[in-house]
Amino acid sequence: MIEVNHITKLYGSQRALDDVSIKLNKGEVVGLLGPNGAGKSTLMKILTCFIPPTEGEAYVNGYSIYDNPIEVRRCIGYLPEQNPLYQEMFVREFLQFVGGIYATKGSVGGEKLNDRVEHMIDITGLRPEANKRIGMLSKGYRQRVGLAQALIHNPEVLILDEPTTGLDPNQLEEIRSLIRSVGKTKTVLLSTHIMQEVEAMCSRAIIINHGHIVDDSPISHMAAGELTAKFHKLTNR
Ligand code: ADP
């Protein structure tokens, strides 16, 4: 569960977010749509405790980003924009490293660390590339490594900043279906520029423009093309 209450973020005099409030429940995959500079990444960075808001409060699974930032981080899996990875590490080695950070008594995400790593390699389709250095991988496979590290501790909340960037059409379908399936039991907030992506993966779409939420609607109620039309209208194009 994610609750955002009246969050404002100023960068100097610029309002990147202006009095944003939203609530996301378990089992929802929510698409955050908006033109470049709308404030999507800023909201995600605040929810993952990377940066503080200027005003307002947010809770992740009931934990405050101010009072319980460690618990917030523990229950979130985060794939940041640009997907920063250690290029010199091998895929399996990197996942063991990230899993090791979350592990307690050798277990992570309900499994032994090594089993969990193999499980993540399987569900993200990384098996053929698991013994390669991350720097040698294609963009699509690096994106899978980013998703695997976000999922490794079986977090209840997933925050994915443009998770399907750089994927080819086959990879796109696989990753979309992975996100849909993990979304059944988690709360997922993902950002994208691609309208079809939201229609394919999300149960709800939030449109943000100049730091304001300008629409928040369930996808199931929308006719084909309605989301695109709404996006253009509400973001002044
Ligand atoms: P989006 O993810 O929707 O493209 P961002 O959240 O990255 O938007 O950015 C929102 C606005 O805030 C943009 O105008 C951007 O230039 C500005 N911004 C983002 N980060 C910083 C920063 N660290 N310092 C100053 N301005 C920033």
Side-chain angles (χ1 to χ4, degrees), residues 4 45 91 94 103 121-122 142 144 151 160 201 217 232 235:
V4 174
K45 285 180 198 160
V91 172
F94 174 69
I121 286 173
D122 280 333
R142 283 205 295 273
R144 290 173 192 235
L151 287 165
L160 309 173
M201 279 190 285
S217 311
H232 289 317
T235 59

Side-chain angles (χ1 to χ4, degrees), residues 92 117-122 124-131 141:
R92 181 176 279 105
V117 167
E118 297 310 312
H119 186 179
M120 290 303 100
I121 286 173
D122 280 333
T124 54
L126 276 167
R127 180 76 46 205
E129 309 288 291
N131 296 322
Y141 274 101

